[in-house]
Amino acid sequence: MTPARRKIGFAVCLATMLLAVLDQNIVSAVTVPIARELDPLHGVDRIPWLISTFSLAATAALPLYGKLCDSLGAKKVFLGAVTTFLLGSALCGAAQSMGQLIAFRALQGLGGGGLMSVTMVVIARLKEPGEKGAGRFSGIGGLVAGAGMALGPVVGGLLADHADWRWIFYVNLPVGIAVLVTSALVLKLPQHGKRRRIDFLGAALAAAFSTALLLVTEWGGRDYGWGSPVIVGLTAGAVALLGLFLWRQATAAEPLLPLSMFRNRTLRTGFAVQGLVGVALMGSMVYVIIYLQLARGIAPAAASLFMIPIALGMACSGLLTARLAARGWTEKTFVISGTACAAVAALLLSTNGADTGLWAVRAELLLLGAGFGQTLGQLIVLVQQAAPLHQLGVATTGIRFFQTLGGSLGAALFGTVLARVYAARGPGGSTSAIPTLKGEAHTRAVDAFSSSTGVVFLCSAGVLALALLLALRIRPAAPAAEET
């Protein structure tokens, strides 16, 4: 590929990632209008499925996408993922019932999972042999993913206010078609020497395990008690499926996620750090919004605007990271500084009370975004450099898989911490009753809730501190040689 084609290909990758991450988060802002139109009687009860189906399908497909990339080549899998995403988007926009929309969101999520992972494989393949600037490309890719995560609810709210909700899906079509055509014409990626068999049984076990685990985190403590038969059964099922998946990976001729990869110190440490960062990232973003709504009385639409400082912090640090990477700074340096910066921000967030200035909160979120902006993408680069070329797809989708599972576990675990601390410190009742309280009871509840969210952010800071300790142990690997 010529330098001009590489730049076009890189721009296409950024647009693709932004589409996928925005669509993962954009629906949360328009769930009520959707439910009112498609199912006025029971639509609200099905909103949790509408929100989570995309993530469930995307996460379940990640391991398979990695193996397909290593077997068929990244370009073919990329084009297939974009096509699936566009088909799902068109069907979502045309849905006539909540059942249809949920099913079509699952199809869209299958494509979106490839867009968020295979795109990083394409970016790695866009580099020239021995090019040191590949790290900055992946760093900017991680920046776009993080910014899309923060801005998704904001964009969804704007479209809901000024256009029909169906446009949150239809707007994908012109951009996606342009991406599809441009990619087909421009991308010329290295081909692998041989085609490998696909472990479809392993893929099914991985999908079933991740689905069961994500359902535990989605339902536990909210729709069902943690000790309920549903949650206990799902947890037992997830453990059994994980055991079966590991057995399959140890015995399959061409495993989906080779266990030999975990003998590589850089790979296993990178997976662990990315999982911990996912715990802290998702937990922090979710409970910042909850703190602003319940402790500060800010409306949901206005609270979502507080994600902009996070996105701005990611943008600034991501651009700075790209420049410094071009000058020889290492990915390990950014991972260490990013986790340290995010840990400090989480520690500051833990000190917030019911009367903390909102500009102070925005500054803390800006610092938090600056930390994650340095970390997102750089761990992917480290893992890609350490992985053999014939396992590049598996390694890339593997680290995304650990980040996604970490994010879901973080949101659930921090929710349990919040509920238990509030139950011990509050005036009684659940946190959802806070807006209905009056007088001294309301004041006491708000103070108790603020201190409870402080414990959550303190836990997040602890998780990031552990990630920092692991990051210090990373040994960057030299770029792998192309397979012959």
Side-chain angles (χ1 to χ4, degrees), residues 124-454:
R125 288 292 191 172
L126 284 174
K127 70 175 184 178
E128 296 181 8
E131 182 184 359
K132 295 182 179 180
R136 81 167 182 267
F137 290 157
S138 293
I140 296 176
L143 154 70
V144 171
M149 185 185 302
L151 294 176
V154 178
V155 176
L158 291 174
L159 287 174
D161 291 340
H162 302 287
D164 187 87
W165 62 264
R166 296 179 186 275
W167 279 100
I168 68 174
F169 302 113
Y170 287 146
V171 75
N172 295 329
L173 300 182
V175 179
I177 291 173
V179 165
L180 193 64
V181 173
T182 305
S183 301
L185 297 176
V186 171
L187 293 182
K188 293 183 63 177
L189 305 180
Q191 296 294 321
H192 293 283
K194 62 179 180 179
R195 177 170 296 195
R196 291 174 167 80
R197 287 185 292 174
I198 307 299
D199 180 18
F200 288 106
L201 176 58
L205 290 171
F209 157 70
S210 59
T211 300
L213 182 61
L214 291 175
L215 286 176
V216 169
T217 62
E218 286 284 336
W219 289 349
R222 187 184 65 182
D223 300 308
Y224 302 94
W226 287 108
S228 66
V230 173
I231 298 302
V232 172
L234 280 172
T235 303
V239 172
L241 288 166
L242 176 60
L244 289 172
F245 174 71
L246 293 176
W247 167 80
R248 177 64 182 176
Q249 300 315 290
T251 57
E254 286 285 346
L256 196 70
L257 185 65
L259 300 184
S260 60
M261 295 177 64
F262 293 90
R263 290 197 289 267
N264 184 309
R265 180 173 177 175
T266 301
L267 292 181
R268 69 172 181 267
T269 306
F271 289 155
V273 173
Q274 188 82 338
L276 292 172
V277 169
V279 169
L281 173 62
M282 186 56 65
S284 298
M285 293 178 64
V286 168
Y287 291 100
V288 161
I289 295 295
I290 294 176
Y291 159 78
L292 291 169
Q293 292 182 28
L294 294 183
R296 308 309 299 272
I298 299 175
S304 67
L305 296 178
F306 278 76
M307 293 297 99
I308 293 178
I310 294 182
L312 183 60
M314 287 180 172
C316 293
S317 64
L319 293 174
L320 180 61
T321 296
R323 289 183 174 274
L324 294 177
R327 297 182 181 180
W329 287 46
T330 66
E331 291 81 11
K332 179 179 178 179
T333 301
F334 297 128
V335 173
I336 292 172
S337 62
T339 50
C341 185
V344 171
L347 193 60
L348 291 173
L349 285 167
S350 71
T351 65
N352 289 345
D355 56 353
T356 302
L358 292 179
W359 281 107
V361 176
R362 291 185 179 95
E364 293 161 357
L365 295 178
L366 183 69
L367 182 63
L368 187 71
F372 288 129
Q374 295 175 71
T375 305
L376 291 172
Q378 300 305 316
L379 279 166
I380 295 178
V381 177
L382 283 169
V383 166
Q384 288 176 336
Q385 290 178 344
L389 260 295
H390 69 278
Q391 292 181 339
L392 181 65
V394 170
T396 304
T397 55
I399 198 167
R400 284 282 304 148
F401 187 67
F402 280 100
Q403 180 186 341
T404 303
L405 292 183
S408 298
L409 288 174
L413 293 175
F414 290 161
T416 301
V417 170
L418 178 66
R420 293 194 174 184
V421 175
Y422 180 78
R425 299 180 181 180
S430 67
T431 57
S432 60
I434 293 177
T436 65
L437 298 176
K438 304 294 182 183
E440 186 170 340
H442 182 266
T443 301
R444 182 184 172 193
V446 168
D447 289 338
F449 184 80
S450 297
S451 63
S452 299
T453 54

